[in-house]
Amino acid sequence: MIEQYVWDLQEVDETQVAVVGGKGAHLGELSRIEGIRVPAGFCVTTDAFRRIMAEAPSIDDRLDQLSRLSPDDREAIRTLSAQIRRTIEGIAIPGDLAAAITRALAQLGEQGAYAVRSSATAEDLPTASFAGQQDTYLNVVGPAAILQHVSRCWASLFTERAVIYRQRNGIDHRTVHMAVVVQQMVFPHAAGILFTADPVTGNRKVATVDAGFGLGEALVSGLVNPDVFKVRDGEVVAKAIAAKQRAVHALPDGGTQEVAIDSQRHEQPALTDAQVVRLVRLGRRIEAHFGRPQDIEWCLVDEGFQIVQSRPITTLFPIPDIDDQESHVYVSVGHQQMMTDPMKQLGVSMWQLTAMVPMHEAGGRLFVDVTRRLASPASRAALLDVMGRGDPLVRDALETVLDHDDFVPSLPDAGPGGPPAGRASAPIETDPAIVTELIERSQVSTAALERDIRTKTGPALFDFLLEAFEEHKRVLSDPLNIQAIMAGMEATWWLNDKLQEWLGEKNAADTLTLSAPDNVTSEMGLALLDVADVIRAQPEVVAFLRGVEDEGFLDELAKLAGGTEARDAIEAYLDRYGMRCVGEIDITRPRWRERPTTLVPVILDNVRNFEPGAAERRFEQGRLKAQKKEQDVLSRLRALPDGDQKADEAKRMIDRVRTFIGYREYPKYGIVSRYFVYKQALLEEAERLVQADVLPEKEDIFFLTFQELHDVVRSNQVDDQLIQQRKDAFRSYHALTPPRVLTSDGEALTGAYRRDDVPSGALVGLPVSGGTIEGRARVILDMAEADLEAGDILVTTFTDPSWSPLFVGIAGLVTEVGGLMTHGAVIAREYGLPAVVGVEQATRLIRDGQRIRVHGTDGYVEILP
């Protein structure tokens, strides 16, 4: 039975996680790499753990109870997990299992000192490190003590922190098993951690070494600050030597002890520069073997390094997969589109196929390569100007990259040619008929798509869709479309710049754009107020909606008094706006038409918080306020030197902004309208695949690219393992925060505002809609869970157009992501809401229910006592 319960480390490789756990598999694999020394040892396998668990049936009931608890119910988790640990530690190790462990010990030296280390099957994985979740015991001496500590390692699978970590990551406790690694103890002169990529910046070319005297436990436990070395291209490029007053040493009879370090050695580096460079060279060899950056624990023994652990660094944001050895600078698409959540594969590939510029995927997010535009002075200036106006943090991050010597290649200007990308080639007349024509063109194109796609199935559908994507891009790239978008944006910028220069007034365009015509997104919020008017008059319907959970509730409405009118109002709303949803650039996200319950809380808030006719009143109040502001601005301008000329110019720009700024929202509406047509057709194909037993669930197609799905439809065969890998990766991507700017070295940059005109303690952001408002903060991460009262201030990660129905009921807006011309900013201005966007970590720093003051003109938020 020896081979079932105990394996020598030399027998193990990284394919055997299920047998020896993540740590054991990594150590076994490490020991196979040429030139890497790993302390000798063996693994007590997961078979042994399962056998021990079977000895205590009562654990099953407790695991059932544990699985039902919320990860936030810490008290209950603490009690239950402690009971499970005590039960496991109390089980006597069966004789044959104990004999197998002691026989393995005898081969290494029975009275030697050992490290006894937990090795769970869900540990040190590419997508979740589980670092520090289970226990390690150092300097354990003698067979009896080793057996006791093996039991403690098994029990440590149920430490409170390990249980909470698994529950937060959606991992079933029963699917994780514990192996134990027993290794000869090493007594190092120095020890520490090597990161083969900089864990702070993400730069893959910079390695970081943390080092201290004695055992690495002193660093891990936070007892001492480490010496920190940074190494690039085989050279120490930075170092900080800590004052090291304590160390952890092994005791002769077992266990460890804190000891004071001789005062003469306090400032002495734990490693020489040459040793650091040699260690990093070993780390690069390990990194190359595993194919990803590593977090490596090392010991220096007799001038040689021994490696006692290596795990993937799971916190690094991935880099787009372009292996050309050249420098690349990428800008986040999600920060422009107000959707920084990860996207599934079908969503990524569909956006890539329909986008106007090439896009690269990393971590489930999309990025645009701007290297060439940064490389020449003229295009660089234009890019920084556009980015800076939209989101100063992106501009600052790009300027940080440009400050890195020679990272971005320098190219000469292209010379006379077209305008910079994203700018209109020539101005257009201020004519409302242009907007009307563009909307009609889009509607005709979408109607043709809906008509023609109905007859397409199988491979023919995919051929049709590839042609439809070309039409999709043709509509978007229509020069008139781009000119109309830019006309509204440039008129806004002109008004803000000139009216501040001439009148000293900040963000004057915020008021001048109130209730602008043809804004499909602001109309969407007002239209839901009209739906609430229909429902408010029907008490039975209101009561029914308060208990709605099932997506089929619309069919039930007709059975109630006034229910038919309510259903017809909601259906009409869904006919116009049902293709929208949170994160709508990802085609795989459920649309309102597919999940209409999402709208119910917002409808009920509108019923409670508004009087009948509110939509029309709101729009008219905004229009009159804008009109009054226009008269005020023009009369003040006429009083200035050259006033008539200034007033005439301003009047032209006000007319221009009111003509075109509403259209800024329409192209996205057109894109999402088409997306819903594509999605419905693809889901019908998925249903056929389910009926043919090719796929277990329709939604599995979301984890395939468009081309992969095309291949599945042609062959009626699917790689189930690939879909499962994609699901696991997608789950892990949620833990990653996408940077605004990312380089091919892996450096992740979020940018900084660099302002000194903000009160101490205030949260800095970008002013996008003027005014100051004070009120209760409602921190809402899911629109379906909104419960708003009049005067509340919405605080959230990002808002795309689907959040607009909430805007009619709030007094102000704070988001973590956004720019001057992103959708949340545009709609905040439309509704006259003071708004500050781009406030880093707003949803963590502001607590739900706190009173806050939003300075929408100056761009900061104060948390009030």
Side-chain angles (χ1 to χ4, degrees), residues 456-472:
K456 306 296 188 294
T457 60
L461 169 66
F462 289 82
D463 294 338
F464 171 82
L465 282 172
L466 287 171
E467 291 177 20
F469 298 161
E470 293 309 308
E471 165 66 5
H472 181 122

Side-chain angles (χ1 to χ4, degrees), residues 202 567 748 815:
R567 184 194 63 194
T815 68

Side-chain angles (χ1 to χ4, degrees), residues 696-763:
E697 295 177 3
K698 281 195 303 186
E699 286 75 16
D700 283 350
I701 68 166
F702 296 159
F703 296 95
L704 299 170
T705 66
F706 181 81
Q707 186 55 55
E708 288 166 348
L709 178 54
H710 191 177
D711 294 340
V712 169
V713 167
R714 270 202 303 257
S715 66
N716 263 5
Q717 292 181 318
V718 71
D719 183 345
D720 295 326
Q721 197 173 355
L722 174 68
I723 288 177
Q724 189 54 51
Q725 286 170 355
R726 296 265 177 84
K727 287 180 178 178
D728 293 342
F730 178 71
R731 195 178 300 117
S732 75
Y733 292 156
H734 282 279
L736 299 172
T737 301
R740 284 175 169 81
V741 172
L742 180 67
T743 75
S744 49
D745 282 356
E747 190 171 3
L749 300 113
T750 54
Y753 286 107
R754 308 189 193 285
R755 288 173 55 187
D756 55 11
D757 60 342
V758 172
S760 174
L763 308 180

Side-chain angles (χ1 to χ4, degrees), residues 88-165:
I88 293 171
E89 288 184 35
I91 297 169
I93 298 178
D96 58 331
L97 174 49
I101 295 170
T102 52
R103 273 196 296 272
L105 268 177
Q107 291 175 0
L108 291 171
E110 204 168 81
Q111 291 309 312
Y114 291 88
V116 183
R117 314 173 70 189
S118 304
S119 180
T121 52
E123 182 177 7
D124 296 350
L125 305 178
T127 55
S129 79
F130 287 74
Q133 301 305 318
Q134 286 90 36
D135 292 344
T136 283
Y137 302 95
L138 300 178
N139 201 31
V140 183
V141 178
I146 284 169
L147 289 173
Q148 181 188 22
H149 285 85
V150 166
S151 284
R152 287 182 179 174
C153 283
W154 287 330
S156 77
L157 188 64
F158 297 98
T159 61
E160 180 188 345
R161 62 186 181 274
V163 167
I164 290 171
Y165 190 93

Side-chain angles (χ1 to χ4, degrees), residues 17 20-25 43 46 117-123 134-135 153 177-181:
V17 172
V20 296
K23 187 177 296 162
C43 298
T46 52
R117 314 173 70 189
S118 304
S119 180
T121 52
E123 182 177 7
Q134 286 90 36
D135 292 344
C153 283
H177 302 107
M178 181 67 84
V180 181
V181 176

